[in-house]
Amino acid sequence: MNFPLFVCMFLFIYSNFRMKTLVVLGITLILACTEVFFPFIWRGKDLFWGKTEKSHVLSIVEESKLMVDNAIYNTMKRNVRKREVNSPAQLLSFSKLPEPTSRAISQAAEVMEAAIQAIKRKIYLKPKQSQPPTDVLSEDLLNTIANISGCLPYMLPPKCPNTCLANKYRLITGACNNRDHPRWGAANTALARWLPPVYEDGISQPRGWNHNFLYNGFPLPLVREVTRQVIQVSNEAVTEDDQYSDLLMVWGQYIDHDIAFTPQSTSKAAFWGGIDCQLTCENQNPCFPIQIITMRDYIPKILGPEAFQQYVGFYEGYDATVDPTVSNVFSTAAFRFGHATIHPLVRRLDDGFQEHPDLPSLHLHEVFFSPWRLIREGGLDPVVRGLLARSAKLQVQDQLMNEELTEKLFVLSNSGTLDLASLNLQRGRDHGLPGYNEWREFCSLPRLESQVDLNTAIANRSVIEKIMNLYKHPDNIDVWLGGLAENLLPKARTGRLFACIIGKQMKALRDGDRFWWENRHVFTEAQRHELEKHSLSRIICDNTGLTRVPIDAFQVGKFPQDFESCENIPHISLEAWRETFHQDDKCGFPDKVDNGDFVHCDESGKRALVYSCHHGYELQGQEQITCTDRGWDFQPPICKDINECKDLMHPPCHPSAECKNTKGSFQCLCTDPYVLGEDERTCVDSGRLPKASIISITLGAVLIGGLAALTWLAICRW
């Protein structure tokens, strides 16, 4: 027997014999012995409780699933009851509401994170132990957690179609672009990390979360203070760009939201206790033309010729070893440089590209969530003219972002606003981005260790002093702010650090794309020649009422001397894509498949048909049939309805709802007074009485009223 345990037990028994006189000593001994044998009991908990390590972890994951599920339910319940009172935060959340697959992945990730946090607290790690729980758990346990949380199916390689169509065209999700790594660059895939993350708890707590956590001897400043003291300026403090039009900024916003969009969290209520994050200050967790315009016309203007050549360079062909996945630092920091180029005004111009007499310029806060203005106030053309003929805001070190973005983002009556600069700073911390100097080192740029060093990258001494007064040490500076404040490179709209990060990302997106338009296996020489003619100016001519545009839509110009007639803007001839399918005697055209369709495809000189089913149906039979000398090599497939309600592993409806299968789809049904939440699969209490109860109360009132009337009538007659 363990000697200290034996001594404690002996003393405890002995003390019982003299309980009347030694009761205090006995209690003291019990407490002392607890310190000795409690760790033994804890280490042997599986022996006493009959639980293995794996079963204990499984129970924690199930608890985490329930906790996340409750938080999501509470969020939807609040949203149901607040449909008429939308705050800016709610509008932002609704605008980023993910589609079902993205929502499921986001929820699974939250379950997995909550489980890891709980395991850290309950089992493996002592408070002072710095080793992350993911390094302590075995690979088998981590796979088990990933599976139960729902993450595993989205981590495994997807099944890639092997048809002539899949070899010619990319999937809409981006999956299977790289045959060896089919999830590289795909939608619903985690952002790539180019440097290890920095979290205060080793898991998810962002830098600056704990006020007593010091960096180089100092706490990080609050992001709102950084905005107010360094970033924010009045709407009048605008230096206009003498080279580029406002359309340069708009194009950057467009492609940023296309390639770097991340889904909103499935819950705004914190998991720990269901606290509404919007009502508390507690620290609680909860296409080819585009390719051409972006890489040929946009990116060189942003990086400048020197940095473009250094970080992007000429195209040398598809490289299957390059991972095109978008990185955290590009998505959450570097490519958000464009927010410093947003003008506080939306300018609307008349047919002569002059200030419109009936449509004055609008401040940004007047146009957020106001699409009715396009319908009632002159349509899209006046806005497009303003984007073409008016300058973008120039990124100046002491004029980074105007009040429209820092004080009036998504303003709605008296319900508050958001601050875009603070959102950007906090987003970088949430993503675990290391500080400014770590990224300079990543880009082979010298670290800046003092104010004197900072002055080599940031010319404005006043801005440096403000930054240092807040951060105290250059290593503490948030990467978004540091990169944003750097001196612009020659003929560029970014500094050295962001030019490096954006350039590396764009090169990866290009070189790691099997379907990049310049890849000689994708288009013929004639087709590439036609694509080279394409331009944003041509798109504007084809899709608006404008008849004159600049040859380069990103170059600001004066009307009419810098504008060209749309008749003289080159356009693509689609003749280069004309395909001719010769129907022979052996293979006719099969009948159209019910609830599906087929497309023609040419493979090795043979005609093939590739079948697909409409949403909610699955293919039974061969996906591709090929014409041979004896006719089609297989019978056409059929499309069969999927009964989603029979999927017990991944049920389409929440347990609170009844699943009803329909043709090509399903319905989640709720019992009154419950209604479907915003996810369209969970029943949420509407907060009102059931309709049956209202009817019963109404009938009861009518009945009582009738009886009272009859009684009164009888009394009167009596």
Side-chain angles (χ1 to χ4, degrees):
M1 178 180 287
N2 184 288
F3 180 72
L5 179 62
F6 174 78
V7 172
C8 289
M9 292 175 65
F10 174 80
L11 291 174
F12 180 75
I13 295 169
Y14 178 75
S15 68
N16 285 336
F17 285 107
R18 305 284 302 276
M19 187 168 293
K20 289 184 180 180
T21 59
L22 301 175
V23 63
V24 176
L25 178 61
I27 293 173
T28 303
L29 287 169
I30 291 172
L31 293 175
C33 292
T34 300
E35 289 294 320
V36 177
F37 64 74
F38 181 76
F40 169 79
I41 294 175
W42 181 247
R43 286 195 301 269
K45 60 188 179 299
D46 296 340
L47 177 64
F48 290 111
W49 300 343
K51 285 189 175 183
T52 64
E53 179 188 51
K54 187 172 184 177
S55 65
H56 195 59
V57 168
L58 294 183
S59 68
I60 291 175
V61 179
E62 290 297 338
E63 290 173 7
S64 300
K65 285 183 68 175
L66 182 62
M67 181 170 58
V68 172
D69 197 52
N70 286 337
I72 293 171
Y73 178 83
N74 290 332
T75 297
M76 288 189 290
K77 186 162 67 173
R78 292 188 186 106
N79 289 343
V80 165
R81 296 178 180 179
K82 294 180 181 178
R83 279 177 176 167
E84 292 79 23
V85 187
N86 288 326
S87 68
Q90 281 179 296
L91 283 177
L92 178 62
S93 176
F94 291 150
S95 70
K96 296 181 68 176
L97 193 66
E99 51 82 41
T101 302
S102 301
R103 185 165 57 235
I105 296 172
S106 179
Q107 183 172 343
E110 290 178 1
V111 171
M112 189 168 185
E113 180 190 346
I116 296 294
Q117 291 277 18
I119 290 169
K120 176 183 177 181
R121 292 194 309 271
K122 294 183 178 181
I123 301 180
Y124 288 97
L125 299 182
K126 297 178 182 178
K128 294 183 180 180
Q129 189 171 340
S130 60
Q131 193 175 13
T134 49
D135 292 348
V136 176
L137 297 174
S138 66
E139 184 178 352
D140 179 57
L141 273 179
L142 286 173
N143 286 334
T144 301
I145 295 171
N147 189 27
I148 297 177
S149 68
C151 280
L152 192 59
Y154 305 107
M155 297 164 63
L156 299 175
K159 182 181 179 182
C160 295
N162 186 24
T163 65
C164 66
L165 206 63
N167 293 326
K168 290 179 67 174
Y169 306 107
R170 69 177 76 244
L171 299 178
I172 194 170
T173 62
C176 303
N177 190 310
N178 188 303
R179 291 296 188 179
D180 298 325
H181 305 279
R183 284 207 181 273
W184 278 7
N188 291 319
T189 302
L191 296 172
R193 289 199 181 275
W194 291 351
L195 285 178
V198 178
Y199 289 116
E200 291 184 351
D201 63 347
I203 302 175
S204 62
Q205 279 188 0
R207 297 165 70 236
W209 192 257
N210 301 293
H211 299 305
N212 58 348
F213 203 101
L214 303 182
Y215 294 85
N216 299 292
F218 303 97
L220 291 185
L222 298 174
V223 295
R224 179 61 176 162
E225 283 304 304
V226 179
T227 295
R228 292 173 61 187
Q229 296 188 37
V230 182
I231 299 172
Q232 175 180 299
V233 293
S234 69
N235 288 339
E236 291 70 35
V238 174
T239 299
E240 300 209 337
D241 195 322
D242 61 358
Q243 293 292 318
Y244 300 126
S245 69
D246 222 3
L247 200 57
L248 188 78
M249 176 276 296
V250 171
W251 188 261
Q253 293 292 302
Y254 171 62
I255 62 172
D256 175 52
H257 293 170
D258 177 47
I259 64 179
F261 186 81
T262 53
Q264 185 79 13
S265 170
T266 51
S267 170
K268 301 301 286 186
F271 302 146
W272 325 128
I275 299 172
D276 190 340
C277 299
Q278 299 173 29
L279 302 178
T280 182
C281 292
E282 291 187 43
N283 277 8
Q284 297 283 4
N285 285 320
C287 103
F288 299 111
I290 296 176
Q291 289 180 1
I292 298 168
I293 294 168
T294 299
M295 192 64 76
R296 183 193 65 194
D297 303 335
Y298 175 77
I299 293 298
K301 293 178 173 65
I302 300 303
L303 305 188
E306 177 190 340
F308 184 86
Q309 183 59 37
Q310 179 181 354
Y311 297 114
V312 183
F314 296 109
Y315 183 65
E316 297 178 356
Y318 170 60
D319 187 345
T321 66
V322 172
D323 183 358
T325 302
V326 173
S327 67
N328 288 72
V329 68
F330 171 84
S331 172
T332 64
F335 212 53
R336 294 181 185 270
F337 81 93
H339 290 161
T341 67
I342 298 177
H343 202 284
L345 295 177
V346 175
R347 282 74 62 93
R348 298 184 289 183
L349 306 181
D350 61 16
D351 292 342
F353 286 83
Q354 302 299 315
E355 300 300 325
H356 205 293
D358 302 320
L359 301 174
S361 297
L362 298 168
H363 284 90
L364 280 179
H365 75 268
E366 297 178 289
V367 300
F368 287 134
F369 294 98
S370 301
W372 57 268
R373 289 189 180 276
L374 292 178
I375 299 172
R376 301 179 186 175
E377 297 183 356
L380 188 63
D381 288 359
V383 177
V384 176
R385 293 190 199 103
L387 295 175
L388 285 170
R390 293 295 181 265
S391 298
K393 173 187 170 295
L394 188 65
Q395 181 178 321
V396 180
Q397 291 170 346
D398 58 358
Q399 298 175 358
L400 291 179
M401 290 176 68
N402 54 70
E403 291 174 315
E404 290 298 305
L405 302 175
T406 61
E407 297 292 331
K408 300 178 181 180
L409 187 69
F410 297 171
V411 62
L412 290 169
S413 61
N414 297 319
S415 58
T417 64
L418 296 176
D419 170 9
L420 184 58
S422 294
L423 288 174
N424 287 346
L425 289 165
Q426 190 60 47
R427 183 183 287 110
R429 296 181 183 185
D430 289 347
H431 279 255
L433 295 183
Y436 172 55
N437 267 330
E438 297 300 314
W439 288 106
R440 284 186 61 89
E441 194 169 58
F442 169 80
C443 283
S444 301
L445 301 173
R447 296 178 71 94
L448 307 177
E449 304 289 358
S450 65
Q451 273 190 234
V452 174
D453 289 345
L454 283 170
N455 197 229
T456 64
I458 304 171
N460 192 308
R461 294 180 182 273
S462 175
V463 169
I464 295 175
E465 289 177 2
K466 291 177 182 179
I467 292 174
M468 289 299 291
N469 285 339
L470 288 166
Y471 287 91
K472 310 300 183 185
H473 195 285
D475 286 353
N476 297 349
I477 300 173
D478 289 288
V479 61
W480 179 69
L481 176 61
L484 201 64
E486 286 188 348
N487 303 330
L488 300 183
L489 292 173
K491 298 181 180 179
R493 291 299 176 264
T494 57
R496 175 63 67 183
L497 176 60
F498 280 179
C500 164
I501 294 171
I502 295 171
K504 286 179 179 289
Q505 183 68 71
M506 287 298 167
K507 181 176 175 62
L509 285 168
R510 181 193 66 183
D511 296 353
D513 183 3
R514 183 160 55 97
F515 296 102
W516 183 258
W517 75 280
E518 292 176 289
N519 187 347
R520 296 191 175 276
H521 300 290
V522 175
F523 293 114
T524 66
E525 186 175 350
Q527 291 169 343
R528 288 195 300 274
H529 176 72
E530 290 300 321
L531 286 169
E532 287 172 352
K533 298 178 183 178
H534 201 60
S535 66
L536 185 53
S537 296
R538 185 68 252 172
I539 292 177
I540 293 171
C541 286
D542 292 341
N543 294 277
T544 70
L546 275 66
T547 58
R548 298 181 67 86
V549 294
I551 294 177
D552 182 351
F554 295 141
Q555 202 83 33
V556 69
K558 293 183 178 181
F559 185 83
Q561 58 264 39
D562 296 326
F563 283 65
E564 188 70 48
S565 170
C566 283
E567 295 178 359
N568 299 328
I569 302 296
H571 64 274
I572 293 177
S573 171
L574 297 179
E575 282 297 319
W577 281 268
R578 183 182 294 278
E579 293 178 318
T580 304
F581 293 98
H582 301 285
Q583 182 176 341
D584 50 48
D585 296 334
K586 299 292 184 181
C587 301
F589 284 102
D591 295 334
K592 189 179 185 304
V593 60
D594 291 335
N595 304 308
D597 211 339
F598 61 81
V599 293
H600 298 88
C601 191
D602 185 73
E603 187 173 51
S604 302
K606 294 183 178 180
R607 187 158 60 98
L609 302 178
V610 180
Y611 287 82
S612 62
C613 294
H614 298 160
H615 182 75
Y617 294 85
E618 60 184 349
L619 204 66
Q620 291 193 340
Q622 293 294 319
E623 184 178 6
Q624 175 176 311
I625 62 175
T626 305
C627 183
T628 69
D629 295 337
R630 294 174 293 179
W632 297 109
D633 57 353
F634 291 100
Q635 288 295 317
I638 61 172
C639 291
K640 183 181 178 182
D641 173 55
I642 301 172
N643 189 345
E644 295 88 353
C645 298
K646 288 186 176 181
D647 188 349
L648 301 180
M649 290 296 295
H650 302 95
C653 298
H654 187 267
S656 60
E658 176 189 353
C659 182
K660 178 184 178 182
N661 187 56
T662 61
K663 265 193 133 181
S665 187
F666 64 92
Q667 286 182 325
C668 297
L669 305 177
C670 300
T671 304
D672 187 58
Y674 291 85
V675 296
L676 280 179
E678 60 202 43
D679 66 347
E680 298 184 344
R681 62 183 296 272
T682 305
C683 292
V684 180
D685 188 355
S686 65
R688 57 171 174 75
L689 287 172
K691 292 179 181 178
S693 299
I694 296 174
I695 294 172
S696 299
I697 292 171
T698 304
L699 290 175
V702 171
L703 180 60
I704 292 172
L707 288 173
L710 289 173
T711 302
W712 180 257
L713 183 63
I715 291 173
C716 290
R717 288 184 176 182
W718 184 266

